[in-house]
Amino acid sequence: MPVPGPSPAQSSLPAAAARFGAHGHGRGADAVTVGRPALPTGPALPFGPAAARTSHSTPAASPVPGGAPGGDLVAEPARGAAAATATPNPALERIMRGPSGVGTEGLFFFTPHRARPAAPAPEATVPPPAAEGRPIPGLYHHPVPEPDPARVAEVSRRIKRWAVDEVEAYPPEWEDQFDGFSVGRYMVACHPDAPTVDHLMIATRLMVAENVVDDCYCEDHGGSPVGLGGRLLLAHTALDPVHTTAEYEPAWAETLLSDAPRRSYRSAMEYFTRAATPSQADRFRHDMARLHMGYLAEAAWAETKYVPEVSEYLAMRQFNNFRPCPTITDTVGGYELPAELHAMPAMQRVIALAGNATTISNDLYSYTKELESPGMHLNLPVVIAEREGLSDKEAYLKAVEVHNDLMHAFEAAAAELAVSCPDPRVVRFLRGVAVWVDGNHYWHQTNTYRYNLPDFW
């Protein structure tokens, strides 16, 4: 029986799954599709009467079994699938695209007779310029289709209004850098399965907030390893609130508005928790704590001028990496991977490998940019050259091999999990993480404002 409508966009998993000769079949499940999240127009301070009103005035979206009633909450269609690199085994391909048959309609984003693509807002009528750039020669990756230009334009418009007006994260003199980041194209490429622009904005705010913290506390705009731990801890309380006494809570809450990083974290997290379940929110907080721990390790090495062993550097990069981004793929997709499935060791390995591979890809694309910055900036090619006595070119090409090994390990682990646990929610989440990995590479490749490749070929 044919699948009732397209599944979320995917790229690398079917090809990887073809290497495992299993005969899995999609299982029916009591899964549900969540409608458009109830999002606030502006977050309130997390204390006092205003906080109480905020926490109850807009209820979280309720699950809607079997799809949205009346079509009002119907998701827009996914925007095409990225190219696969091999012909998958038919049984595995069936697992990767999900179940079919009676009772499975609610597991998909839309069905053809209900789909209603949203018209772009008037401000989103002019698409951004075509993407440029070339991939790193020899880097294992999967091409993706150009992101939907109407969505890119609308997300770009909304996120700039949020960053500049709502949280005052960027002064006018940084506007060109904000535009050059191309975060709208980035998030639309990474989340082609997002049901609505509101869902895309959840990821986009968090991405911008994380970069504001990185820039202002760690790197480009006044960042320093000196005192970083105290700054990061207080910023983290914008994600994971402090529970203290009535006397001291107001003083803490006021600090959440004291600088751009904390304002950005606080606001982005408020929007996120309105759309996420408590389990999803706690998962994200945990991954952000991992990220901040990685920041601190790198800062400690910078303070002591220590160049880590390659194995130590790779351990640090498992924490200071993109992991918080793919871990929210189900929230942005409008559904939930239950906590017991997300916590499986096999799933944790997949997510860790996805973060590790994409972070090494970042090391490679940002290599020349970081060499031009003052001081010694640690990245994998620099560490390999220093610790293994290789030339810059040899070290860079070896780092490409490390990335490729991580990508193959990610795809193999994801395919094995899809076969061993063919729960449609697991498969859907794995597909979303794989698409995020490919979209992340696409953004690095095409963002010639930020990145250019070394002359090693």
Coordinates of all heavy atoms in Angstrom, one line a residue, residues 44 73 121 133 194 196-197 236 245 402 429 439:
A44 N 7.9 37.6 29.3 CA 7.9 38.4 30.6 C 9.0 38.0 31.5 O 9.6 37.0 31.3 CB 6.5 38.2 31.3
L73 N -4.5 23.9 11.3 CA -3.2 23.7 11.8 C -2.3 22.9 10.9 O -1.3 22.3 11.3 CB -3.2 23.1 13.2 CG -4.0 23.9 14.2 CD1 -3.9 23.2 15.6 CD2 -3.4 25.3 14.4
A121 N 4.5 36.6 3.5 CA 4.1 37.9 3.9 C 4.6 38.9 2.8 O 5.5 38.7 2.1 CB 4.8 38.3 5.2
G133 N 29.7 29.6 -3.4 CA 30.6 28.8 -2.7 C 30.8 27.4 -3.3 O 30.0 26.9 -4.1
A194 N 10.0 21.8 8.9 CA 9.3 22.6 9.9 C 7.9 22.9 9.3 O 7.8 23.4 8.2 CB 10.1 23.9 10.1
T196 N 5.7 25.2 10.0 CA 5.4 26.6 9.8 C 6.7 27.5 10.0 O 7.7 27.0 10.6 CB 4.3 27.1 10.8 OG1 4.9 27.1 12.1 CG2 3.1 26.2 10.7
V197 N 6.6 28.8 9.6 CA 7.6 29.7 9.9 C 7.8 29.9 11.4 O 8.9 30.1 11.9 CB 7.4 31.0 9.2 CG1 8.4 32.1 9.6 CG2 7.5 30.8 7.7
H236 N 23.8 31.0 31.7 CA 23.1 29.8 31.7 C 21.8 29.8 32.5 O 20.8 29.1 32.2 CB 24.0 28.6 32.2 CG 23.4 27.3 31.9 ND1 23.5 26.6 30.7 CD2 22.7 26.4 32.7 CE1 22.9 25.4 30.8 NE2 22.4 25.3 32.0
T245 N 15.7 32.6 47.1 CA 14.7 33.1 48.1 C 14.0 34.4 47.5 O 14.5 35.0 46.5 CB 15.5 33.6 49.4 OG1 16.4 34.6 49.0 CG2 16.3 32.4 49.9
V402 N 39.4 12.9 9.1 CA 38.7 12.7 10.4 C 37.3 13.0 10.3 O 36.4 12.3 10.8 CB 39.4 13.6 11.5 CG1 38.6 13.6 12.7 CG2 40.8 13.2 11.7
F429 N 13.0 11.1 13.8 CA 14.0 11.9 14.4 C 15.3 11.7 13.7 O 16.1 12.7 13.5 CB 14.0 11.6 15.9 CG 14.9 12.5 16.7 CD1 14.5 13.7 17.1 CD2 16.2 12.1 17.0 CE1 15.3 14.5 17.9 CE2 17.1 13.0 17.7 CZ 16.6 14.2 18.1
G439 N 22.1 20.2 5.9 CA 21.8 21.6 5.8 C 22.9 22.5 6.4 O 23.2 23.6 6.0

